[in-house]
Amino acid sequence: MEEQQEFTNTIGKDFSTFGLFKFALPAFFTNVFSQIFKSLDDALFISRFVGPKALAGLNLLSPIMSIQVALQNLCSLGAATISAHYMGQGKQKDAKQIFTKIIIGTIFVGAIFSLTLNIFSTPILKFLGSDTELYQYSIYQVRLVYAIMPIILMNSVFSLYYSTAGKPKVGTLCSIVNGTINIGLDVILIPYLKMGVKGAAIATSVGEIAVFIIGIIFFLNTKHEIHFVKPEGEIVRPILDCFKYALPQCVNSLSFGVTNFIINKQLLSLIGSDGIAANAIISDVRNILTTGLIGIAASVSPVVAYRYGERNVKKLKDALVSVVKIWFVTSMSLILIGLVVRKPLIQVFMSEQSSKAFYEMALYGITIEIFSIPFCAANFTTSRLFVSVGNAKTSTIISIFRNLVFRSISLLVLPYMFGVNGVWFAIPTGEFIAFLMVVLIIYLNRDNYGYGKSGVAYYINN
């Protein structure tokens, strides 16, 4: 009983819509800052001071980066959701055990990824389309950044658990620290010391290590709602349970890897390396505009998971309604912001080597993708929320059809019909079709979780 009364869990508060948005706001800025810093590192500095070829070489790794994100989701999302469920049930000790055990599993997964990628780096890069010139720009990311994959994966776990522990602002702090170190070293290593992509890889690695140190210090503090404890009982099964919960988002990220591979192959055949470089800029601008919404979804998910674990139908419904309102206002606002800032954002990435055609291609692509923001945000938010209420199966279905089916088909069919323009329209088309499917799924599940007019909640009350 003492363990249950040890904390008043922050994620268990009665949030109004504005209160929930305020709670999620640090995660919004955390993701935005992280993406801006990442874009300044991976795209701006490399594009401006090394050249489009270097940017294309780095973007060839986008399928590998999708696998990295998949592993980050695998290690963090399920564990944070299960811990939130336990906290909603008053089982604070179990929540801490899950956190500690998933860190153990994360170290193991990260080590396997690092070793595999470094041992087989040459055949992997050739398979992705790298020639001799592009290879020299890709290999430093593999050798330096992916060598510390256990640390990168643990940082992802820490990032989600800051919200679960009721301290989302710490995630924002980590983002600022990481970005400041990263950009500071970029300024020194790339333009001045002329270290090129190697300098960018070093800067990224140092920033991740700094954030890791902050996380270790935070979660060693026993005063926080979530912290390290001595693992007790079985370790492997709880880790596998966490992986099962996170499977939908893991599949989602792996599917991105497949679509990124298709995009790269299509652009190489239609335009060449300039097409990949333009897509890298489009992706960075798109991610700057949408990643804050991903942060909001990640931040509100523990609150929804807590309500589900609490078995409080009314409060669960209130939380879900608040999420819908937040999604609508933020996504519509980002469309307007995107239309205003798209030109200056793209111009930032242009170098003296960039042609007018290259600029116009990037501008055209991002203008199209801006209008897919509401659909994209609705799709990944819904997928994340189904995980929060323990329905990993439905979330997996959304992820598979959204990315692997709808996006892949659009990428294979539209470029065949419309050439390069088909590549830029493919992702928005896939997102819109997935959105229609998501609306249907939400409607079909209305009486399972109590957000329909009947107020029935079969999955909670039975």
Side-chain angles (χ1 to χ4, degrees):
M1 182 62 66
E2 290 182 1
E3 182 63 37
Q4 295 184 23
Q5 299 298 323
E6 183 178 353
F7 296 112
T8 299
N9 293 308
T10 303
I11 58 174
K13 292 181 179 179
D14 292 330
F15 290 104
S16 63
T17 298
F18 179 75
L20 186 59
F21 176 72
K22 186 178 178 181
F23 174 78
L25 204 56
F28 176 91
F29 287 116
T30 295
N31 277 28
V32 170
F33 289 149
S34 294
Q35 185 58 46
I36 290 175
F37 292 143
K38 180 178 181 298
S39 298
L40 289 174
D41 174 24
D42 294 345
L44 188 148
F45 278 92
I46 291 175
S47 179
R48 291 185 70 89
F49 297 105
V50 187
K53 287 286 186 181
L55 184 59
L58 188 65
N59 205 50
L60 274 179
L61 289 172
S62 56
I64 303 298
M65 294 176 186
S66 295
I67 296 176
Q68 172 191 328
V69 174
L71 293 178
Q72 289 174 309
N73 290 334
L74 185 70
C75 294
S76 60
L77 292 178
T81 299
I82 292 174
S83 289
H85 285 174
Y86 278 136
M87 292 166 76
Q89 298 165 11
K91 300 177 181 179
Q92 197 77 34
K93 181 178 179 180
D94 292 334
K96 297 171 189 172
Q97 283 288 328
I98 289 295
F99 167 69
T100 303
K101 290 173 183 178
I102 198 61
I103 289 295
I104 296 173
T106 296
I107 295 171
F108 181 73
V109 170
I112 292 177
F113 180 86
S114 293
L115 288 173
T116 302
L117 193 57
N118 274 277
I119 291 173
F120 300 104
S121 58
T122 298
I124 289 173
L125 291 177
K126 287 183 178 179
F127 173 75
L128 294 177
S130 176
D131 55 22
T132 303
E133 184 178 13
L134 296 180
Y135 178 88
Q136 64 178 322
Y137 296 123
S138 306
I139 192 61
Y140 288 114
Q141 183 83 4
V142 174
R143 294 285 187 250
L144 296 176
V145 177
Y146 291 141
I148 61 166
M149 187 52 57
I151 288 177
I152 293 174
L153 294 185
M154 280 189 282
N155 284 343
S156 296
V157 177
F158 293 160
S159 178
L160 271 191
Y161 266 95
Y162 290 133
S163 291
T164 306
K167 300 290 184 180
K169 292 181 180 179
V170 179
T172 304
L173 172 64
C174 289
S175 175
I176 293 173
V177 170
N178 192 347
T180 302
I181 292 174
N182 206 330
I183 293 176
L185 289 176
D186 280 338
V187 171
I188 297 172
L189 299 177
I190 299 177
Y192 289 102
L193 297 184
K194 307 296 183 184
M195 295 182 67
V197 291
K198 181 179 180 180
I202 292 173
T204 299
S205 300
V206 174
E208 291 288 345
I209 292 171
V211 170
F212 171 71
I213 293 173
I214 294 175
I216 289 293
I217 293 173
F218 179 91
F219 288 107
L220 282 174
N221 189 338
T222 58
K223 294 181 180 180
H224 293 139
E225 296 178 22
I226 294 289
H227 56 77
F228 288 113
V229 295
K230 181 180 179 180
E232 298 176 355
E234 193 172 358
I235 294 180
V236 175
R237 184 175 295 277
I239 292 174
L240 294 178
D241 287 341
C242 293
F243 289 169
K244 181 181 70 174
Y245 262 79
L247 187 60
Q249 294 303 317
C250 182
V251 170
N252 184 55
S253 299
L254 290 175
S255 301
F256 266 115
V258 174
T259 55
N260 285 335
F261 177 75
I262 296 173
I263 289 174
N264 286 343
K265 289 295 185 180
Q266 292 279 36
L267 290 172
L268 277 174
S269 64
L270 292 169
I271 308 175
S273 61
D274 277 355
I276 296 180
N279 186 58
I281 295 173
I282 292 170
S283 297
D284 276 307
V285 174
R286 178 187 67 230
N287 290 337
I288 289 173
L289 294 172
T290 60
T291 192
L293 298 175
I294 296 175
I296 289 177
S299 190
V300 300
S301 292
V303 177
V304 173
Y306 186 98
R307 294 306 182 198
Y308 179 77
E310 194 180 30
R311 293 298 191 266
N312 190 317
V313 177
K314 182 182 182 303
K315 290 185 177 180
L316 176 61
K317 179 180 179 179
D318 290 343
L320 292 173
V321 170
S322 293
V323 172
V324 173
K325 293 178 180 178
I326 292 170
W327 157 75
F328 181 79
V329 173
T330 52
S331 59
M332 291 299 114
S333 299
L334 284 172
I335 288 179
L336 297 177
I337 293 172
L339 292 174
V340 172
V341 304
R342 70 191 193 281
K343 288 185 178 180
L345 273 178
I346 291 175
Q347 288 170 349
V348 166
F349 294 104
M350 296 293 117
S351 68
E352 294 179 356
Q353 305 174 43
S354 302
S355 64
K356 182 179 179 181
F358 182 73
Y359 166 79
E360 290 178 348
M361 180 167 53
L363 179 62
Y364 183 77
I366 193 57
T367 301
I368 293 170
E369 293 210 16
I370 282 174
F371 290 97
S372 70
I373 288 176
F375 310 124
C376 178
N379 294 338
F380 65 65
T381 300
T382 302
S383 180
R384 180 70 66 88
L385 291 181
F386 271 111
V387 173
S388 299
V389 295
N391 193 339
K393 180 180 179 180
T394 298
S395 184
T396 303
I397 291 172
I398 293 173
S399 297
I400 290 175
F401 275 89
R402 176 196 173 200
N403 293 310
L404 201 56
V405 178
F406 298 139
R407 280 194 175 198
S408 296
I409 291 175
S410 296
L411 282 166
L412 291 172
V413 173
L414 294 184
Y416 176 78
M417 298 173 63
F418 304 108
V420 176
N421 288 341
V423 177
W424 311 134
F425 275 99
I427 290 181
T429 300
E431 290 288 0
F432 177 71
I433 298 172
F435 173 75
L436 297 178
M437 180 191 69
V438 162
V439 170
L440 177 62
I441 289 175
I442 291 173
Y443 176 77
L444 294 175
N445 280 274
R446 66 195 184 283
D447 292 333
N448 292 330
Y449 302 101
Y451 55 78
K453 291 183 179 179
S454 67
V456 176
Y458 294 120
Y459 287 0
I460 298 177
N461 294 329
N462 297 331

